[in-house]
Amino acid sequence: MPSSSLQVRAGQLIFADGDAGECAYLVESGRILVFVVKDGVEVPLKVLGEGEVIGEMSLIDNSPRSASCRALDDGSLLVVGKDQLLDRVRGADPVVRLLMRALLERLRSQNDSARGHGFDSGKTETEAMDDKREALRRIDLENSIAGGLQKDQFLPFYQPINDLKSGRIVGCEALIRWLQPDGRLISPAVFMDVIESSSLVHQAGRMMIEKSLRDLGPLQQRFGADFFVSINVGSGQFGDPNFLDHLEKTRESFGVDAECVKLELTERVMMEGPQAMSTLENCRAKGYRLAIDDFGTGFSNLQYLASMPLSDLKIDRSFVMKILSHERSLSIVKSLIHLARSLKLSLIAEGIETADELALLRKLGVEMGQGYLFAKPMPLDQLMQLAAQKAA
Ligand code: C2E
Ligand code: CA
Ligand code: CA
C-alpha cells in the first residue's frame, strides 16, 4: 500500500498540530516522537518505532492533525497516500467503521485533554449520525439473525433445475429463506450480506448443508437417484478448515452420494487465500461438483477460472434477461458457452422467464436451466408434489 519513501533527519518536524492531513506514514527506521504543546510547553505523548503508523487518524476522519510528530533519529518513512487509505476505509464493514471512529474519538480526546481543550471530530453531525444508524441497523439485524438461527427459523426453499432438452427436473438449487413467527418469509436480499460479513456465515452455511442433504434422499426417491442439490457456499465458508469434515459427516449420515451435491461458489473465493483453495481441491477430490455462480458480474479473471477445479458454470440472470434484446448480452452468453465447452464445464442458465429465452438457450446448446418459466423457489413439500404431478 505505501507508495514512496521519505528520509528524515534527527530533529525534523514531520507534521504539526493543526496541519491538514494529506498522508500517513509507516515508520521504516528511526524513532518518532508524538507530542502536543500545552501553554507553550511540549508534552510528549509517545515514541513510535519501526513498523508503526503515524498520521493515519486525520485521514480517516478528515480532521486536522491533533498532535505533532518529530524524528528523534535519522530514519526513513513510507508515505501512504490519502486515497490509498480511504479506499480501504470506505470498503470496510460499517460496524468496523463505527468501531474505528469510536477509537479515534477516544484517542483524540486523550490528545486534547493533554493539550487542555475539547475535541472536534471534524465530521458533520448528520454524517456521524448516518454512520451510527447504519452500524446500529447492522448490529441489530445480526443479533436478530443469530436469534433466528437459534430458534431454527431459517430453511431452504428449492428451485427446480431442468434439463433443457427433455424438460425433466434433474436437480434443484437450495435458497435460504427466513420464516418469521407470523408466517412472513424474508428474502436473502435483506440479510445475506450481514450474514456473509460476520461469523454467522458458518452457522447459516452448516444449517443449509444439513437441511439440504436431509431433503435430498426423499427428493431422489421422487425424481430419480441422480437428482442433485446445488448449495450456495458463502464467502468465508471455504476458508473454514472444518468445512469439508462437516460436509462429509452430514453427507454420510444421510447416505447420499457426493456426486449428487453441487457447491455453488463465486469468484470471491479466489480472494480467500490458500486454505479456501485447498478446501475446493479436496471437495472436488471427494467427488462433489463445483459450480461457479454469478460469473461475468464481478472481476471475472479468466486465469482464476482456469485454475479452479470446477465442474459447472452458471450463466447469470443478468445476461439471460437481456439475451433477446441486447446484442452484447447475447455475445457474452455465446462466449461463456464457448469457454465452458473448452474447459469441459456443464452449463446452467439461471433466470429463464420466457419461452423465447428458453428456445434460444436450447438452440445455443445450454444443457440445464432454472427460472420462473419453470418454477419459483418453493418449500420441500411443494417440490415433492410437483414430482407427483409430473408423474401423473
Ligand atoms: P443466486 O445464487 O444467484 O440465486 C438465484 C436467485 O435468482 C434466487 O434469488 C432465485 O430465486 C432468483 N431467480 C431464479 N430464477 C429467477 C427468475 O426467473 N427471475 C427472477 N427475477 N429471479 C429468479 P434468491 O433466492 O432471492 O437469492 C438471492 C441470492 O442470495 C442468491 O443469488 C445467493 O447469492 C444468495 N443466497 C441464497 N441462498 C443462499 C445460501 O444458502 N447461502 C449463501 N451464501 N447465499 C445464498
Ligand atoms: Ca446460486
Ligand atoms: Ca447467480
Side-chain angles (χ1 to χ4, degrees), residues 74-334:
D74 291 353
S76 78
L77 308 173
L78 284 171
V79 181
V80 180
K82 195 169 188 167
D83 286 343
Q84 289 177 298
L85 190 80
L86 288 187
D87 283 351
R88 285 163 173 85
V89 172
R90 285 188 205 106
D93 184 285
V95 178
V96 175
R97 284 209 304 267
L98 181 74
L99 292 175
M100 203 152 56
R101 274 178 49 79
L103 287 172
L104 279 181
E105 289 187 12
R106 198 170 305 154
L107 273 171
R108 283 198 185 284
S109 63
Q110 278 167 12
N111 290 1
D112 282 341
S113 61
R115 211 168 21 187
H117 56 78
F119 169 72
D120 171 17
S121 80
K123 274 230 164 189
T124 70
E125 200 69 2
T126 331
E127 281 170 342
M129 266 324 282
D130 284 352
D131 270 12
K132 280 184 188 160
R133 262 193 217 109
E134 173 57 12
L136 282 175
R137 186 193 71 81
R138 288 179 77 97
I139 290 181
D140 199 36
L141 185 54
E142 201 174 310
N143 287 340
S144 310
I145 294 168
L149 280 166
Q150 222 154 33
K151 291 187 210 128
D152 199 23
Q153 291 172 347
F154 288 82
L155 76 165
F157 265 36
Y158 298 104
Q159 183 175 39
I161 295 177
N162 293 61
D163 178 298
L164 296 190
K165 255 198 206 135
S166 66
R168 198 167 73 91
I169 297 176
V170 288
C172 64
E173 177 175 1
L175 293 154
I176 194 167
R177 296 292 181 269
W178 186 0
L179 181 62
Q180 300 294 292
D182 63 6
R184 268 182 318 127
L185 273 175
I186 302 189
S187 111
V190 176
F191 57 82
M192 210 54 221
D193 69 322
V194 170
I195 289 193
E196 292 208 333
S197 60
S198 72
S199 61
L200 291 173
V201 73
H202 301 292
Q203 203 184 336
R206 280 196 293 272
M207 178 281 298
M208 285 298 283
I209 287 173
E210 286 158 15
K211 291 190 176 172
S212 307
L213 296 190
R214 174 199 67 194
D215 295 345
L216 182 57
L219 284 166
Q220 288 183 328
Q221 279 178 4
R222 293 286 176 105
F223 287 95
D226 55 354
F227 182 90
F228 67 84
V229 67
S230 208
I231 303 171
N232 292 283
V233 180
S235 108
Q237 277 184 270
F238 281 115
D240 171 5
N242 300 317
F243 176 83
L244 181 55
D245 189 46
H246 168 262
L247 179 63
E248 276 290 272
K249 285 201 172 115
T250 311
R251 186 185 62 74
E252 280 160 14
S253 76
F254 292 113
V256 290
D257 291 337
E259 290 76 25
C260 297
V261 180
K262 237 176 240 189
L263 305 173
E264 293 196 7
L265 50 109
T266 66
E267 296 155 286
R268 275 179 295 171
V269 74
M270 296 301 307
M271 301 196 271
E272 288 174 31
Q275 171 68 49
M277 287 314 286
S278 97
T279 306
L280 286 189
E281 300 282 352
N282 294 337
C283 287
R284 198 73 189 97
K286 290 274 181 199
Y288 294 95
R289 301 182 60 110
L290 298 178
I292 182 99
D293 199 0
D294 302 343
F295 187 75
T297 62
F299 59 94
S300 299
N301 185 321
L302 295 178
Q303 196 86 39
Y304 285 170
L305 187 70
S307 67
M308 282 198 273
L310 300 170
S311 59
D312 296 55
L313 186 148
K314 295 196 81 167
I315 303 176
D316 195 70
R317 188 171 79 86
S318 57
F319 302 122
V320 172
M321 69 195 284
K322 289 190 282 191
I323 193 174
L324 291 162
S325 58
H326 190 237
E327 193 72 32
R328 285 183 171 206
S329 294
L330 177 60
S331 303
I332 292 174
V333 170
K334 282 182 178 165

